Amino acid sequence: MSAVDVPEQESWFHRNQQRIAPWLFLAPGLLFFMVYVIIPVFQSFNLSLYEWDGLGAAEYVGFRNYEDLYWEWVDRDAFYTSLKNNLIWLILYLAAIPAGLFIALFLNQTVAGIRLYKSLFFFPFVISQVVVGLVFTWFYDPTFGLLNEFLSFFGLGPLNVLGDERFVTYGIIVAGLWPQTAYCMILYLTGLNAVDPEQIEAGRLDGAKGWRMLWHIILPQLRPATFIAFVVTIIGALRSFDLISIMTQGGPFGSSRVLAYYMFEVALSEYGFRMGYGAAIAVILFLIMLCFIAYFLWSMYREERGH
Amino acid sequence: MHSIYKRTTAALAMSVALAVPAYAELTGELRIFLDTSNPAPRATMEAMIDRFAAEHPGLEIETTVIDREAYKTQIRNFLTADTPDVATWYAANRMKPYVEAGLFEDVSDLWAEPEIAENLASTKGAMTIDGKQWGVPYTYYQWGVYYRKDIFDELGLSEPTTWEEELANCQKIVDSGRACYTIGTKFLWTAGGWFDYLNMRTNGFDFHNQLANGEISWEDDRVKQTFANWKQLIDMGAFIDNHQTYSWQEALPFMVNGEAAAYLMGNFAVAPLREAGLSDDQLDFYQFVAINPDVELAEDAPTDTFHIPANASNKEAAREFLRFVVSADEQTEINNGSNLGQLPVNAKSSVDNDKFLQQGFNMLSSNSPGGVAQFWDRDAPAEMAKVSMEGFQEFMVKPDNADRILAKLERARQRIYDN
């Protein structure tokens, strides 16, 4: 009969199922990534070419916002301070990685109550950055702060860490290192669980111990943990905003600003609303981040191909 | 029977018409946004709105109170979308962006009504941009020097009126191991208050406005003179140390503990000082001293205001609400000591018996011939205010950097005002 002769008509979807399925699964993620990340990146760049107070009509000014930023750089003004502080943050914040590693090594043992110690060390990461900021603000307080009580014990001080433009950025970074170190510690603790005991055994037979053991046997196995710790620390340093906002509001006289805070100040704070200028700062910050993102993506890609 | 009934209704109608002013009964919804988020002002405002609602039973009133700081950024959103019918804000240059963007309703018609025109004349200037009025004030307060009378008595000092007396007083206070003034400049605007007074006393009220409008160079000799006067105080150790780390509230304990003798502040500082335990015998007030005898005294008296957004939906009811707020009785009520504790804007209102409010009221009405300024960060455009107040803070910490700071402010002025 004819019914037998006619080949079963496969639908288009059916035929292309294999190719479509991954895109279908990716669609929600892609959609949100486009709407919340990719499109705003281009919008920011576009906005940075305008002068706009967020209310009236936007006026096209070409690259004048960038020109103003350049002059701020030349004049050693706010933009220069922010960029310089960002660099200090980037470098000093990395101290969280070795610090986290050594705490992790120290805690990676089995004695009574080790879980309690581990959670105590992890504690600063759990509490909010706002609380960390407040605690350190009081710690640094020039009249009744613990730091000055401590210094006066040795006949030093008083030191107004958050009120002195020479120390303020370092003071805030120390506050930021407290939770960041805990974060890196947790990453390394999980990493240490995966260290192969046979390799350690083999190393021991070959006479490795102490630093040599750490450097040649342990650390290479902790590479994935180091990589993640590096990524989160760099990102944490670049988006350092909350601590500055709580501890100093960018002060005294603007000397603890970083790019993220300066952008907020210019575009969104009480005296701000230069949207175009804020967007220009955001673009600069994005370009700096892009260097790191590109590096991370490249090394991840290399890793994948290596396997 | 029939005629009696008719007559009574007529009489009833008459009496109702007499009791309630002659306007059509208001209906619909009235949405009010307030930034009075502190407990006491909040209660005051809510009570006032309840009284307004009682007079207008046909009106459905919805009040939203927003945190005072958050309000400053949210206003930009709610003036354009989902707009209330009435919103609080500040006078002078602070309302300029919204006026220029066409987001505030022109309420010059209200100001033409005799009730408002006659009684609110003193604040008209602060509400005027381009010859029109854009809202009504509901409260204002004086600035001046609040000082520890007991410390002054102990050192044998009296309230100074000239710069020489001021410096001599301050020297004695410093010699006694105290600071003359407490201040917390972490949030910058407190330094703006000092700049305002020194500048208005050195160069006068008109100069203040010209500087705020960008008409005068920051490297002008007159500005430098203001800073030179300021430096005299700084160099003698008049201000507490580390003020750049404190908010204005955190600076209060220095005065309460007697480590500092005085505070240049707005009248809102009185309440926390009293709560901290200072009695009215210990606490007193004097007007900031004259510096240049050739300029007339002028004061800072920031005014808080109500506006009708241009996109409001019930503007008729909103206007009625504004009339209600500035009426003499309401002004007396909301500004009295148990409510806002500030000065009423209506000339027919009575000022609370509080000694600070009385002194402030007398000062502003009879001893401020030069004029009344709003405040540096309300008179100058936001951007200039920010940059300059940062400069003031730096100057107070490092007075030797004055020239560098002024050069920076001059660069900022040329950028900010040129468009």
Side-chain angles (χ1 to χ4, degrees), chain A residues 53 163 165 253 257 265, chain B residues 76 244 386 390 393 398:
Chain A
D53 66 355
E165 78 279 13
F253 29 96
R257 285 190 182 106
E265 248 186 331
Chain B
R76 304 177 80 88
Q244 70 270 34
K386 168 82 182 172
E390 224 168 76
Q393 188 200 34
K398 304 184 154 189

Side-chain angles (χ1 to χ4, degrees), chain A residues 104 108 118 183-195 221-222 224-225 228:
Chain A
N108 191 37
K118 279 182 185 170
Y183 193 11
C184 292
M185 176 203 80
I186 277 292
L187 290 173
Y188 277 120
L189 271 178
T190 40
L192 283 170
N193 277 338
V195 166
Q221 295 192 65
L222 287 176
I228 297 293

Side-chain angles (χ1 to χ4, degrees), chain B residues 191-201 208 300 374-376:
Chain B
W194 269 97
F195 173 76
D196 263 352
Y197 272 99
L198 289 160
N199 190 43
M200 283 196 287
R201 291 294 189 265
H208 163 90
D300 266 343
Q374 286 301 312
F375 195 74
W376 181 248

Side-chain angles (χ1 to χ4, degrees), chain B residues 3-320:
Chain B
S3 65
I4 293 170
Y5 173 73
K6 233 181 175 177
R7 235 182 304 154
T8 34
T9 31
L12 204 71
M14 277 281 280
S15 64
V16 168
L18 282 176
V20 181
Y23 48 73
E25 185 50 55
L26 296 165
T27 52
E29 212 186 355
L30 180 70
R31 295 172 69 220
I32 302 172
F33 276 23
L34 303 171
D35 69 346
T36 49
S37 55
N38 290 333
R42 180 183 182 139
T44 301
M45 287 297 173
E46 283 170 350
M48 179 180 77
I49 291 167
D50 285 345
R51 288 193 293 276
F52 180 71
E55 278 185 23
H56 302 279
L59 212 51
E60 208 177 298
I61 301 180
E62 186 193 315
T63 310
T64 308
V65 183
I66 299 167
D67 172 74
R68 202 173 171 86
E69 293 305 315
Y71 191 94
K72 289 172 183 168
T73 47
Q74 285 186 22
I75 186 170
R76 304 177 80 88
N77 299 332
F78 68 64
L79 285 182
T80 44
D82 196 25
T83 312
D85 300 301
V86 175
T88 53
W89 193 235
Y90 311 104
N93 230 323
R94 268 298 178 93
M95 60 180 188
K96 204 171 177 183
Y98 309 107
V99 171
E100 280 177 349
L103 292 172
F104 277 164
E105 171 95 348
D106 174 7
V107 292
S108 302
D109 53 319
L110 283 179
W111 285 84
E113 294 170 7
E115 184 68 21
I116 291 180
E118 286 160 20
N119 298 329
L120 267 67
S122 63
T123 45
K124 190 172 183 181
M127 302 309 301
T128 305
I129 291 178
D130 296 334
K132 295 172 187 149
Q133 289 76 45
W134 303 94
V136 296
Y138 66 88
T139 187
Y140 72 118
Y141 51 89
Q142 81 268 19
W143 269 65
V145 182
Y146 295 83
Y147 71 100
R148 284 286 297 271
K149 197 169 167 33
D150 50 345
I151 295 179
F152 270 50
D153 288 344
E154 180 197 320
L155 300 173
L157 306 175
S158 55
E159 293 183 2
T161 53
T162 65
W163 189 237
E164 288 70 35
E165 288 172 20
E166 163 69 33
L167 293 177
N169 270 1
C170 188
Q171 192 57 55
K172 283 186 191 146
I173 297 169
V174 171
D175 290 344
S176 77
R178 301 178 177 97
C180 309
Y181 293 100
T182 183
I183 183 174
T185 58
K186 183 177 178 186
F187 296 94
L188 307 176
W189 55 268
T190 46
W194 269 97
F195 173 76
D196 263 352
Y197 272 99
L198 289 160
N199 190 43
M200 283 196 287
R201 291 294 189 265
T202 310
N203 300 309
F205 178 69
D206 294 334
F207 186 86
H208 163 90
N209 282 334
Q210 287 166 347
L211 192 64
N213 291 331
E215 292 158 21
I216 288 171
S217 164
W218 282 88
E219 290 175 300
D220 189 292
D221 282 341
R222 289 168 291 177
V223 180
K224 287 189 173 158
Q225 185 55 47
T226 299
F227 278 81
N229 291 337
W230 201 346
K231 192 165 184 291
Q232 280 186 292
L233 283 177
I234 298 168
D235 284 348
M236 66 197 287
F239 300 100
I240 58 163
D241 292 332
N242 300 320
H243 55 76
Q244 70 270 34
T245 355
Y246 302 118
S247 68
W248 77 266
Q249 292 99 329
E250 286 168 327
L252 288 166
F254 294 98
M255 182 156 164
V256 176
N257 300 337
E259 291 162 44
Y263 204 170
L264 175 67
M265 238 322 129
N267 195 57
F268 51 82
V270 171
L273 285 172
R274 279 180 177 151
E275 275 162 31
L278 292 182
S279 69
D280 279 11
D281 295 332
Q282 291 173 293
L283 198 59
D284 211 345
F285 173 85
Y286 66 83
Q287 185 172 16
F288 197 91
V289 299
I291 295 178
N292 179 351
D294 298 332
V295 301
E296 291 181 316
L297 299 179
E299 296 297 319
D300 266 343
T303 308
D304 292 350
T305 55
F306 271 114
H307 301 267
I308 305 175
N311 299 331
S313 39
N314 197 349
K315 290 181 182 171
E316 194 196 348
R319 281 195 158 74
E320 193 51 41

Side-chain angles (χ1 to χ4, degrees), chain B residues 324-336:
Chain B
F324 177 81
V325 170
V326 298
S327 66
D329 292 345
E330 275 307 314
Q331 278 297 309
T332 307
E333 173 65 23
I334 65 171
N335 285 300
N336 73 20

